[in-house]
Amino acid sequence: MSGPDWVRHAIWWQVYPLGFVGAHPADPAPGPDEHRLRRIVDWLDHAIALGASGLALGPVFASRTHGYDTTDHYRIDPRLGDDADFDHLVAEAHRHGLRVLLDGVFNHVGTDFDRYRRAADGDADARAFFRTRGGEFGTFEGHGELIALDHRNPEVVGYTVEVMRHWLARGADGWRLDAAYAMPDDFWAQVLPAVRESFPEAWFVGEVIHGDYAAHVSGAGFDSVTQYELWKAVWSSLNDGNFHELDWAMQRHNDFLSSFVPLTFVGNHDVTRIASKLDDPRHVEHALVLLFTTGGTPSVYAGDELAYRGVKEERFGGDDAIRPEFGAPPALSDDAAGDSYRLHQHLIGLRRRHPWLHEATTSALALTNTHYVYQSARDGERLLVALNVDPAQPLRVSLPELGFGRGRVVAGSGAPPQDDIEHTEVGPHGWVVIAPA
């Protein structure tokens, strides 16, 4: 498997900093003297109590709007603070035992990027830094405010290497590579070895939505890519009552695991929150069970553990609802937020007690539209997971018939622990996780 050994134990808590600290959207925008980036430090104990082992940050570099229109890769966004605030956050995260993942936008830059301003003013050397066609600057997916870099230019390769090295030297542990699907794999095949030469323990995950994940990993040299196929299959199968779709995606996921470990998630800063995406709120539990009992490097989007809701819309400002400002960490009680947080804790605890799940593959033992029983296994270790989204019919599970022998219930919806069973029943909208007895 690719990637440093520490990633086998990584569970990310993902934060979109500009929204989290109320820096975007904001009118007027905060200045560096407000040091808002430090507000994230107040939540590190929350992340640790949740069970996370890493802090995955969205964009923190200077930009004009949402962070993905970078204007200076070497400068902390002044709406967030300054270099000292970044250093403080990284130091505190490491003191808490949390790795730090940065979000790098190297496919395109914002129109306030200095070299682009010079190129637009006629500087031929600066213009060579950007992709052009017919005298026009290339853009990212037609967005005129996002100017595409020319990844065939060795100067762009060298620039990207130096930016990545700079922030790894400042304490970051890895990079999420934004819009990696829009960039040629051979660009990253030049960049990543040069970065790894200086930082062999760094981890690199490419944002890939569609296409051949394994080919991107092989061609680019990523350690991982974002597993959007499985994300889609999880919520879609739960909403439609079609576990056949999920099982097809799980088989694809097994194929990926033979060569790399994907970054898995049921929510992030770019999609509708899982509590809003699912038609039946009871099935949020099933989505989380899938996330934490299948192979992958799991990520929890900040707020999902507190049952936050939010719908992404395809319009200007359409991301605002899923990227809200966070205040002080809440005092959790017996409400929806507290219940969600404790469920996350329980399932993350299960995951951490079974670290082999990082590379585990699954096999279906029983499958209908609304009933799904699968085994997660690796190196002689195994767990059995039974999911029921049927509104009326219970799911009867006979362990001997499934080749599992005897087992003990280690987690379930309303199920008390059971130490030595051969049979169990999962009620409508229920789930259970069973370990060998």
Side-chain angles (χ1 to χ4, degrees):
M1 290 295 172
S2 61
D5 186 66
W6 61 262
V7 179
R8 295 188 69 250
H9 306 279
I11 296 174
W12 298 104
W13 187 61
Q14 186 207 353
V15 170
Y16 174 74
L18 287 166
F20 193 94
V21 304
H24 177 76
D27 187 18
D33 58 333
E34 295 188 34
H35 306 287
R36 292 204 180 191
L37 192 60
R38 295 180 181 240
R39 294 186 184 182
I40 299 174
V41 173
D42 296 337
W43 282 78
L44 297 182
D45 286 335
H46 169 95
I48 289 295
L50 179 68
S53 60
L55 174 66
L57 294 171
V60 296
F61 308 121
S63 72
R64 191 165 69 178
T65 60
H66 45 56
Y68 292 98
D69 53 343
T70 312
T71 59
D72 188 342
H73 288 97
Y74 287 101
R75 183 185 179 205
I76 296 299
D77 196 305
R79 295 171 293 174
L80 296 174
D82 54 27
D83 275 13
D85 299 318
F86 174 83
D87 292 342
H88 177 69
L89 174 57
V90 171
E92 285 299 302
H94 287 166
R95 188 176 69 82
H96 281 76
L98 295 167
R99 300 276 181 168
V100 178
L101 187 72
L102 296 183
D103 199 346
V105 187
F106 299 108
N107 178 67
H108 51 267
V109 296
T111 52
D112 285 344
F113 191 74
D114 179 68
R115 199 179 308 228
Y116 171 70
R117 298 309 318 160
R118 290 190 277 117
D121 288 339
D123 184 327
D125 290 339
R127 190 179 184 86
F129 207 71
F130 304 96
R131 193 171 71 234
T132 57
R133 171 179 262 180
E136 298 293 325
F137 287 100
T139 63
F140 173 57
E141 297 183 347
H143 298 287
E145 297 293 306
L146 304 177
I147 310 301
L149 303 180
D150 186 349
H151 300 98
R152 299 167 300 177
N153 185 340
E155 191 176 2
V156 175
V157 173
Y159 175 83
T160 304
V161 169
E162 290 309 311
V163 170
M164 295 176 73
R165 283 175 173 167
H166 174 83
W167 294 104
L168 289 169
R170 294 288 289 268
D173 297 286
W175 287 89
R176 172 195 179 270
L177 304 170
D178 182 68
Y181 60 88
M183 307 166 69
D185 287 341
D186 59 6
F187 169 76
W188 290 112
Q190 298 173 74
V191 169
L192 296 180
V195 179
R196 286 193 177 101
E197 186 176 341
S198 302
F199 299 95
E201 286 298 299
W203 184 66
F204 305 96
V205 54
E207 183 198 16
V208 179
I209 300 175
H210 306 293
D212 189 335
Y213 291 174
H216 279 300
V217 170
S218 175
F222 303 135
D223 293 313
S224 181
V225 296
T226 50
Q227 225 304 26
Y228 272 92
E229 281 190 14
L230 187 58
W231 163 78
K232 191 273 178 184
V234 167
W235 62 259
S236 180
S237 64
L238 292 172
N239 280 346
D240 295 345
N242 180 12
F243 277 135
H244 293 280
E245 176 191 359
L246 177 62
D247 185 61
W248 183 88
M250 296 277 263
Q251 292 179 51
R252 288 265 297 171
H253 191 63
N254 286 342
D255 292 340
F256 301 144
L257 286 161
S258 67
S259 57
F260 72 97
V261 179
L263 177 68
T264 51
F265 58 93
V266 295
N268 66 30
H269 67 296
D270 275 332
V271 300
T272 292
R273 287 192 180 269
I274 191 66
S276 296
K277 195 72 175 176
L278 292 176
D279 297 335
D280 191 324
R282 290 171 292 189
H283 296 162
V284 172
E285 296 189 16
H286 299 69
L288 295 173
V289 171
L290 285 161
L291 175 63
F292 292 115
T293 62
T294 57
T297 302
S299 177
V300 176
Y301 182 44
D304 282 358
E305 77 278 14
L306 298 172
Y308 277 24
R309 301 180 65 84
V311 176
K312 177 184 174 71
E313 299 178 4
E314 297 302 326
R315 59 174 178 81
F316 180 77
D319 292 321
D320 295 351
I322 60 173
R323 302 173 179 179
E325 181 175 1
F326 284 58
L332 298 171
S333 56
D334 293 329
D335 56 8
D339 290 345
S340 178
Y341 188 79
R342 285 184 287 273
L343 176 62
H344 277 79
Q345 282 183 310
H346 185 70
L347 291 173
I348 291 173
L350 176 69
R351 177 72 172 219
R352 292 175 74 90
R353 289 191 298 275
H354 299 85
W356 55 267
L357 281 167
H358 181 250
E359 298 168 5
T361 56
T362 61
S363 54
L365 304 181
L367 175 63
T368 70
N369 281 343
T370 56
H371 292 165
Y372 190 34
V373 182
Y374 63 90
Q375 177 177 269
S376 285
R378 175 76 178 180
D379 295 334
E381 304 280 359
R382 58 180 180 161
L383 290 174
L384 183 144
V385 181
L387 306 176
N388 183 4
V389 295
D390 197 283
Q393 294 298 318
L395 167 59
R396 295 178 176 85
V397 179
S398 172
L399 301 184
E401 290 180 12
L402 298 176
F404 202 79
R406 306 185 70 87
R408 55 189 178 88
V409 174
V410 293
S413 53
Q418 296 172 283
D419 289 333
D420 190 5
I421 61 169
E422 289 187 344
H423 308 277
T424 192
E425 184 173 283
V426 183
H429 304 292
W431 58 273
V432 69
V433 180
I434 298 172

